[in-house]
Amino acid sequence: MMSSSSASSGIKNMCVVGAGQMGIGIGLVAARVAKLNVQFIDSSPAQLEKGLAFLDKLLIKDVTKGRCTEDERSDVKSRISSVSSISEMTNADFVVEAVSENAELKRKIFAELSEKLSPEAILATNTSSISITKIASAAKRPENVIGMHFMNPVPVMKLVEIIPGLQTSKETLDITLELAKRMGKVTTMSQDVPGFIANRLLMPYINEAVIALQEGIASKEDIDTTMKLGTNNPMGPLTLADFIGLDTCLAIMKVLHTELGDSKYRPAVLLQKYVDAGWLGVKSGKGIYDYSSK
């Protein structure tokens, strides 16, 4: 029987579905650290162009700061390609889906991937809250499906949460753990429960900070400063929410509230209002704070 290390080393080609900030970060680390060939898939040509430009910007920044050479930058770029649909993708040994937190969209993607890929291919989802078991049930081979929750920004953050679904095989789990190690990541493992470890703890904290702002307990600056300097966090919860994306925070809180049924997970009314207004945080130029002049 092939060891997980041997099987993982046999993975040469990764496909990343979704060329947003998370997908681009995952693909960059896979190409640069694990030396994989990476193909991005995104149905939006504009998003593909934007994402690949961001990837190149990150590489140029690393060259400027002496973290890699120009030859290494060229080497990484030579391993990267992109297409606009699953039907156009070339064969992949390992796929990471990194689209928005929408269970039905993810299930649709996994059903399509199952039809396209070889029986041995592993399908990982970067979901931060949705049931792996539910996503896996849409795939032809659910035993090959697993959760692989990277942290943002992926090139900087060392952690990956690994979440086996009810159907996930031991071989899939072992290969995924080994691949994460090849990508230079530290792994933790969670049961397949809403929010897993990180967001089960983080999102209620952020949501409570928004409620404190909503109720006028303190200004946004004072809430963030209190938690930064009073609890030794690198940034306050409201700033962190803006960096994550308020739409993402809201989507995760809705999953926690719906799946767990406890009122303590009810999303803050103000959080919903920000999202309704299109104020999503850093990515939209305005969220709880205003980034339009930056």
PDB file of all heavy atoms in Angstrom, residues 101 129 194 203 207 247-261 265-268 271-272 275-276:
ATOM      1  N   GLU A 101     -19.229  31.597   0.146  1.00  0.00           N
ATOM      2  CA  GLU A 101     -19.872  30.688   1.093  1.00  0.00           C
ATOM      3  C   GLU A 101     -21.345  30.462   0.733  1.00  0.00           C
ATOM      4  O   GLU A 101     -22.258  31.023   1.349  1.00  0.00           O
ATOM      5  CB  GLU A 101     -19.748  31.228   2.510  1.00  0.00           C
ATOM      6  CG  GLU A 101     -18.359  31.121   3.105  1.00  0.00           C
ATOM      7  CD  GLU A 101     -17.955  29.680   3.375  1.00  0.00           C
ATOM      8  OE1 GLU A 101     -18.277  29.144   4.446  1.00  0.00           O
ATOM      9  OE2 GLU A 101     -17.308  29.074   2.493  1.00  0.00           O
ATOM     10  N   SER A 129     -17.248  27.303   6.945  1.00  0.00           N
ATOM     11  CA  SER A 129     -18.348  27.026   7.874  1.00  0.00           C
ATOM     12  C   SER A 129     -19.325  25.959   7.406  1.00  0.00           C
ATOM     13  O   SER A 129     -20.034  25.372   8.226  1.00  0.00           O
ATOM     14  CB  SER A 129     -19.135  28.320   8.141  1.00  0.00           C
ATOM     15  OG  SER A 129     -19.697  28.823   6.934  1.00  0.00           O
ATOM     16  N   PRO A 194     -20.591  23.074  12.258  1.00  0.00           N
ATOM     17  CA  PRO A 194     -20.631  24.443  11.739  1.00  0.00           C
ATOM     18  C   PRO A 194     -19.544  25.347  12.326  1.00  0.00           C
ATOM     19  O   PRO A 194     -19.402  25.440  13.549  1.00  0.00           O
ATOM     20  CB  PRO A 194     -22.031  24.926  12.150  1.00  0.00           C
ATOM     21  CG  PRO A 194     -22.849  23.682  12.189  1.00  0.00           C
ATOM     22  CD  PRO A 194     -21.924  22.629  12.726  1.00  0.00           C
ATOM     23  N   MET A 203     -16.090  34.120  14.896  1.00  0.00           N
ATOM     24  CA  MET A 203     -17.223  34.879  14.364  1.00  0.00           C
ATOM     25  C   MET A 203     -18.177  35.397  15.440  1.00  0.00           C
ATOM     26  O   MET A 203     -18.639  36.540  15.343  1.00  0.00           O
ATOM     27  CB  MET A 203     -17.964  34.066  13.302  1.00  0.00           C
ATOM     28  CG  MET A 203     -17.204  33.978  12.004  1.00  0.00           C
ATOM     29  SD  MET A 203     -16.862  35.624  11.313  1.00  0.00           S
ATOM     30  CE  MET A 203     -15.365  35.269  10.382  1.00  0.00           C
ATOM     31  N   ASN A 207     -19.083  39.253  15.824  1.00  0.00           N
ATOM     32  CA  ASN A 207     -20.503  39.623  15.834  1.00  0.00           C
ATOM     33  C   ASN A 207     -20.857  40.417  17.092  1.00  0.00           C
ATOM     34  O   ASN A 207     -21.597  41.408  17.037  1.00  0.00           O
ATOM     35  CB  ASN A 207     -21.352  38.357  15.748  1.00  0.00           C
ATOM     36  CG  ASN A 207     -22.810  38.629  15.432  1.00  0.00           C
ATOM     37  OD1 ASN A 207     -23.129  39.232  14.406  1.00  0.00           O
ATOM     38  ND2 ASN A 207     -23.705  38.191  16.300  1.00  0.00           N
ATOM     39  N   ASP A 247     -19.487  40.558   4.272  1.00  0.00           N
ATOM     40  CA  ASP A 247     -20.399  39.582   3.665  1.00  0.00           C
ATOM     41  C   ASP A 247     -20.037  38.158   4.077  1.00  0.00           C
ATOM     42  O   ASP A 247     -20.915  37.331   4.342  1.00  0.00           O
ATOM     43  CB  ASP A 247     -20.414  39.712   2.140  1.00  0.00           C
ATOM     44  CG  ASP A 247     -19.028  39.669   1.510  1.00  0.00           C
ATOM     45  OD1 ASP A 247     -18.016  39.955   2.198  1.00  0.00           O
ATOM     46  OD2 ASP A 247     -18.937  39.364   0.310  1.00  0.00           O
ATOM     47  N   THR A 248     -18.729  37.894   4.169  1.00  0.00           N
ATOM     48  CA  THR A 248     -18.275  36.575   4.616  1.00  0.00           C
ATOM     49  C   THR A 248     -18.638  36.350   6.083  1.00  0.00           C
ATOM     50  O   THR A 248     -19.129  35.275   6.456  1.00  0.00           O
ATOM     51  CB  THR A 248     -16.757  36.433   4.418  1.00  0.00           C
ATOM     52  OG1 THR A 248     -16.454  36.597   3.027  1.00  0.00           O
ATOM     53  CG2 THR A 248     -16.255  35.082   4.887  1.00  0.00           C
ATOM     54  N   CYS A 249     -18.413  37.374   6.914  1.00  0.00           N
ATOM     55  CA  CYS A 249     -18.770  37.261   8.336  1.00  0.00           C
ATOM     56  C   CYS A 249     -20.261  36.992   8.491  1.00  0.00           C
ATOM     57  O   CYS A 249     -20.668  36.132   9.288  1.00  0.00           O
ATOM     58  CB  CYS A 249     -18.394  38.549   9.078  1.00  0.00           C
ATOM     59  SG  CYS A 249     -16.618  38.868   9.172  1.00  0.00           S
ATOM     60  N   LEU A 250     -21.074  37.707   7.731  1.00  0.00           N
ATOM     61  CA  LEU A 250     -22.527  37.529   7.808  1.00  0.00           C
ATOM     62  C   LEU A 250     -22.933  36.126   7.369  1.00  0.00           C
ATOM     63  O   LEU A 250     -23.757  35.466   8.024  1.00  0.00           O
ATOM     64  CB  LEU A 250     -23.225  38.571   6.938  1.00  0.00           C
ATOM     65  CG  LEU A 250     -24.762  38.487   6.877  1.00  0.00           C
ATOM     66  CD1 LEU A 250     -25.374  38.699   8.250  1.00  0.00           C
ATOM     67  CD2 LEU A 250     -25.309  39.504   5.879  1.00  0.00           C
ATOM     68  N   ALA A 251     -22.343  35.658   6.268  1.00  0.00           N
ATOM     69  CA  ALA A 251     -22.679  34.320   5.760  1.00  0.00           C
ATOM     70  C   ALA A 251     -22.345  33.242   6.788  1.00  0.00           C
ATOM     71  O   ALA A 251     -23.129  32.305   7.001  1.00  0.00           O
ATOM     72  CB  ALA A 251     -21.928  34.050   4.454  1.00  0.00           C
ATOM     73  N   ILE A 252     -21.206  33.378   7.453  1.00  0.00           N
ATOM     74  CA  ILE A 252     -20.806  32.380   8.454  1.00  0.00           C
ATOM     75  C   ILE A 252     -21.724  32.436   9.669  1.00  0.00           C
ATOM     76  O   ILE A 252     -22.143  31.396  10.194  1.00  0.00           O
ATOM     77  CB  ILE A 252     -19.330  32.579   8.864  1.00  0.00           C
ATOM     78  CG1 ILE A 252     -18.417  32.321   7.665  1.00  0.00           C
ATOM     79  CG2 ILE A 252     -18.961  31.657  10.031  1.00  0.00           C
ATOM     80  CD1 ILE A 252     -16.974  32.752   7.880  1.00  0.00           C
ATOM     81  N   MET A 253     -22.071  33.645  10.117  1.00  0.00           N
ATOM     82  CA  MET A 253     -22.990  33.764  11.250  1.00  0.00           C
ATOM     83  C   MET A 253     -24.351  33.159  10.922  1.00  0.00           C
ATOM     84  O   MET A 253     -24.989  32.524  11.780  1.00  0.00           O
ATOM     85  CB  MET A 253     -23.149  35.227  11.663  1.00  0.00           C
ATOM     86  CG  MET A 253     -21.956  35.816  12.408  1.00  0.00           C
ATOM     87  SD  MET A 253     -21.407  34.859  13.858  1.00  0.00           S
ATOM     88  CE  MET A 253     -22.893  34.838  14.877  1.00  0.00           C
ATOM     89  N   LYS A 254     -24.796  33.325   9.685  1.00  0.00           N
ATOM     90  CA  LYS A 254     -26.078  32.730   9.285  1.00  0.00           C
ATOM     91  C   LYS A 254     -26.018  31.205   9.319  1.00  0.00           C
ATOM     92  O   LYS A 254     -26.984  30.540   9.722  1.00  0.00           O
ATOM     93  CB  LYS A 254     -26.482  33.232   7.895  1.00  0.00           C
ATOM     94  CG  LYS A 254     -27.007  34.661   7.889  1.00  0.00           C
ATOM     95  CD  LYS A 254     -27.434  35.101   6.489  1.00  0.00           C
ATOM     96  CE  LYS A 254     -28.096  36.467   6.516  1.00  0.00           C
ATOM     97  NZ  LYS A 254     -28.475  36.937   5.163  1.00  0.00           N
ATOM     98  N   VAL A 255     -24.886  30.642   8.898  1.00  0.00           N
ATOM     99  CA  VAL A 255     -24.719  29.183   8.968  1.00  0.00           C
ATOM    100  C   VAL A 255     -24.741  28.727  10.421  1.00  0.00           C
ATOM    101  O   VAL A 255     -25.434  27.757  10.774  1.00  0.00           O
ATOM    102  CB  VAL A 255     -23.403  28.748   8.279  1.00  0.00           C
ATOM    103  CG1 VAL A 255     -23.092  27.289   8.596  1.00  0.00           C
ATOM    104  CG2 VAL A 255     -23.491  28.951   6.778  1.00  0.00           C
ATOM    105  N   LEU A 256     -23.997  29.415  11.290  1.00  0.00           N
ATOM    106  CA  LEU A 256     -23.966  29.040  12.704  1.00  0.00           C
ATOM    107  C   LEU A 256     -25.363  29.121  13.321  1.00  0.00           C
ATOM    108  O   LEU A 256     -25.789  28.218  14.060  1.00  0.00           O
ATOM    109  CB  LEU A 256     -22.996  29.956  13.470  1.00  0.00           C
ATOM    110  CG  LEU A 256     -21.514  29.830  13.147  1.00  0.00           C
ATOM    111  CD1 LEU A 256     -20.707  30.866  13.919  1.00  0.00           C
ATOM    112  CD2 LEU A 256     -20.990  28.439  13.448  1.00  0.00           C
ATOM    113  N   HIS A 257     -26.084  30.208  13.012  1.00  0.00           N
ATOM    114  CA  HIS A 257     -27.414  30.408  13.589  1.00  0.00           C
ATOM    115  C   HIS A 257     -28.403  29.361  13.089  1.00  0.00           C
ATOM    116  O   HIS A 257     -29.165  28.764  13.872  1.00  0.00           O
ATOM    117  CB  HIS A 257     -27.899  31.823  13.249  1.00  0.00           C
ATOM    118  CG  HIS A 257     -29.165  32.197  13.949  1.00  0.00           C
ATOM    119  ND1 HIS A 257     -30.196  32.854  13.321  1.00  0.00           N
ATOM    120  CD2 HIS A 257     -29.579  32.002  15.227  1.00  0.00           C
ATOM    121  CE1 HIS A 257     -31.178  33.059  14.185  1.00  0.00           C
ATOM    122  NE2 HIS A 257     -30.825  32.560  15.347  1.00  0.00           N
ATOM    123  N   THR A 258     -28.368  29.108  11.776  1.00  0.00           N
ATOM    124  CA  THR A 258     -29.307  28.147  11.183  1.00  0.00           C
ATOM    125  C   THR A 258     -29.014  26.721  11.628  1.00  0.00           C
ATOM    126  O   THR A 258     -29.919  25.976  12.017  1.00  0.00           O
ATOM    127  CB  THR A 258     -29.253  28.230   9.643  1.00  0.00           C
ATOM    128  OG1 THR A 258     -29.578  29.554   9.229  1.00  0.00           O
ATOM    129  CG2 THR A 258     -30.220  27.257   9.005  1.00  0.00           C
ATOM    130  N   GLU A 259     -27.740  26.329  11.558  1.00  0.00           N
ATOM    131  CA  GLU A 259     -27.375  24.937  11.819  1.00  0.00           C
ATOM    132  C   GLU A 259     -27.393  24.576  13.308  1.00  0.00           C
ATOM    133  O   GLU A 259     -27.721  23.452  13.669  1.00  0.00           O
ATOM    134  CB  GLU A 259     -25.990  24.641  11.232  1.00  0.00           C
ATOM    135  CG  GLU A 259     -25.907  24.779   9.718  1.00  0.00           C
ATOM    136  CD  GLU A 259     -26.732  23.739   8.987  1.00  0.00           C
ATOM    137  OE1 GLU A 259     -26.854  22.618   9.510  1.00  0.00           O
ATOM    138  OE2 GLU A 259     -27.252  24.052   7.902  1.00  0.00           O
ATOM    139  N   LEU A 260     -27.016  25.537  14.160  1.00  0.00           N
ATOM    140  CA  LEU A 260     -26.940  25.237  15.590  1.00  0.00           C
ATOM    141  C   LEU A 260     -28.209  25.646  16.329  1.00  0.00           C
ATOM    142  O   LEU A 260     -28.482  25.141  17.421  1.00  0.00           O
ATOM    143  CB  LEU A 260     -25.715  25.920  16.209  1.00  0.00           C
ATOM    144  CG  LEU A 260     -24.371  25.439  15.642  1.00  0.00           C
ATOM    145  CD1 LEU A 260     -23.235  26.298  16.172  1.00  0.00           C
ATOM    146  CD2 LEU A 260     -24.131  23.979  15.974  1.00  0.00           C
ATOM    147  N   GLY A 261     -28.975  26.579  15.745  1.00  0.00           N
ATOM    148  CA  GLY A 261     -30.274  26.938  16.305  1.00  0.00           C
ATOM    149  C   GLY A 261     -30.243  27.696  17.617  1.00  0.00           C
ATOM    150  O   GLY A 261     -31.263  27.804  18.298  1.00  0.00           O
ATOM    151  N   TYR A 265     -26.036  32.984  18.261  1.00  0.00           N
ATOM    152  CA  TYR A 265     -25.374  33.100  16.965  1.00  0.00           C
ATOM    153  C   TYR A 265     -26.147  33.985  15.982  1.00  0.00           C
ATOM    154  O   TYR A 265     -25.796  34.066  14.815  1.00  0.00           O
ATOM    155  CB  TYR A 265     -25.168  31.718  16.348  1.00  0.00           C
ATOM    156  CG  TYR A 265     -24.283  30.800  17.176  1.00  0.00           C
ATOM    157  CD1 TYR A 265     -24.800  29.639  17.749  1.00  0.00           C
ATOM    158  CD2 TYR A 265     -22.946  31.111  17.388  1.00  0.00           C
ATOM    159  CE1 TYR A 265     -24.007  28.804  18.512  1.00  0.00           C
ATOM    160  CE2 TYR A 265     -22.138  30.282  18.157  1.00  0.00           C
ATOM    161  CZ  TYR A 265     -22.670  29.129  18.714  1.00  0.00           C
ATOM    162  OH  TYR A 265     -21.871  28.319  19.473  1.00  0.00           O
ATOM    163  N   ARG A 266     -27.196  34.662  16.453  1.00  0.00           N
ATOM    164  CA  ARG A 266     -27.985  35.508  15.552  1.00  0.00           C
ATOM    165  C   ARG A 266     -27.123  36.666  15.051  1.00  0.00           C
ATOM    166  O   ARG A 266     -26.527  37.391  15.846  1.00  0.00           O
ATOM    167  CB  ARG A 266     -29.217  36.055  16.268  1.00  0.00           C
ATOM    168  CG  ARG A 266     -30.153  36.851  15.348  1.00  0.00           C
ATOM    169  CD  ARG A 266     -31.317  37.464  16.115  1.00  0.00           C
ATOM    170  NE  ARG A 266     -32.151  36.436  16.694  1.00  0.00           N
ATOM    171  CZ  ARG A 266     -32.393  36.316  17.999  1.00  0.00           C
ATOM    172  NH1 ARG A 266     -31.843  37.152  18.860  1.00  0.00           N
ATOM    173  NH2 ARG A 266     -33.177  35.352  18.429  1.00  0.00           N
ATOM    174  N   PRO A 267     -27.035  36.864  13.726  1.00  0.00           N
ATOM    175  CA  PRO A 267     -26.196  37.956  13.205  1.00  0.00           C
ATOM    176  C   PRO A 267     -26.679  39.329  13.678  1.00  0.00           C
ATOM    177  O   PRO A 267     -27.894  39.567  13.782  1.00  0.00           O
ATOM    178  CB  PRO A 267     -26.345  37.828  11.686  1.00  0.00           C
ATOM    179  CG  PRO A 267     -26.822  36.439  11.445  1.00  0.00           C
ATOM    180  CD  PRO A 267     -27.642  36.069  12.640  1.00  0.00           C
ATOM    181  N   ALA A 268     -25.738  40.214  13.952  1.00  0.00           N
ATOM    182  CA  ALA A 268     -26.068  41.576  14.344  1.00  0.00           C
ATOM    183  C   ALA A 268     -26.855  42.262  13.225  1.00  0.00           C
ATOM    184  O   ALA A 268     -26.510  42.119  12.046  1.00  0.00           O
ATOM    185  CB  ALA A 268     -24.791  42.365  14.636  1.00  0.00           C
ATOM    186  N   LEU A 271     -24.651  44.405  11.100  1.00  0.00           N
ATOM    187  CA  LEU A 271     -23.838  43.658  10.142  1.00  0.00           C
ATOM    188  C   LEU A 271     -24.622  43.433   8.854  1.00  0.00           C
ATOM    189  O   LEU A 271     -24.097  43.613   7.746  1.00  0.00           O
ATOM    190  CB  LEU A 271     -23.405  42.321  10.763  1.00  0.00           C
ATOM    191  CG  LEU A 271     -22.527  41.407   9.903  1.00  0.00           C
ATOM    192  CD1 LEU A 271     -21.227  42.097   9.515  1.00  0.00           C
ATOM    193  CD2 LEU A 271     -22.226  40.112  10.661  1.00  0.00           C
ATOM    194  N   GLN A 272     -25.879  43.056   8.988  1.00  0.00           N
ATOM    195  CA  GLN A 272     -26.733  42.874   7.807  1.00  0.00           C
ATOM    196  C   GLN A 272     -26.897  44.194   7.051  1.00  0.00           C
ATOM    197  O   GLN A 272     -26.872  44.212   5.817  1.00  0.00           O
ATOM    198  CB  GLN A 272     -28.105  42.353   8.241  1.00  0.00           C
ATOM    199  CG  GLN A 272     -29.087  42.120   7.084  1.00  0.00           C
ATOM    200  CD  GLN A 272     -28.726  40.936   6.233  1.00  0.00           C
ATOM    201  OE1 GLN A 272     -28.752  39.798   6.698  1.00  0.00           O
ATOM    202  NE2 GLN A 272     -28.378  41.178   4.975  1.00  0.00           N
ATOM    203  N   VAL A 275     -23.850  45.020   4.886  1.00  0.00           N
ATOM    204  CA  VAL A 275     -23.818  44.174   3.691  1.00  0.00           C
ATOM    205  C   VAL A 275     -24.882  44.633   2.690  1.00  0.00           C
ATOM    206  O   VAL A 275     -24.624  44.710   1.482  1.00  0.00           O
ATOM    207  CB  VAL A 275     -23.999  42.689   4.065  1.00  0.00           C
ATOM    208  CG1 VAL A 275     -24.119  41.824   2.809  1.00  0.00           C
ATOM    209  CG2 VAL A 275     -22.828  42.203   4.928  1.00  0.00           C
ATOM    210  N   ASP A 276     -26.067  44.958   3.175  1.00  0.00           N
ATOM    211  CA  ASP A 276     -27.129  45.450   2.297  1.00  0.00           C
ATOM    212  C   ASP A 276     -26.715  46.726   1.571  1.00  0.00           C
ATOM    213  O   ASP A 276     -27.111  46.963   0.426  1.00  0.00           O
ATOM    214  CB  ASP A 276     -28.406  45.714   3.103  1.00  0.00           C
ATOM    215  CG  ASP A 276     -29.096  44.440   3.566  1.00  0.00           C
ATOM    216  OD1 ASP A 276     -28.738  43.360   3.050  1.00  0.00           O
ATOM    217  OD2 ASP A 276     -29.971  44.525   4.445  1.00  0.00           O
TER     218      ASP A 276
END
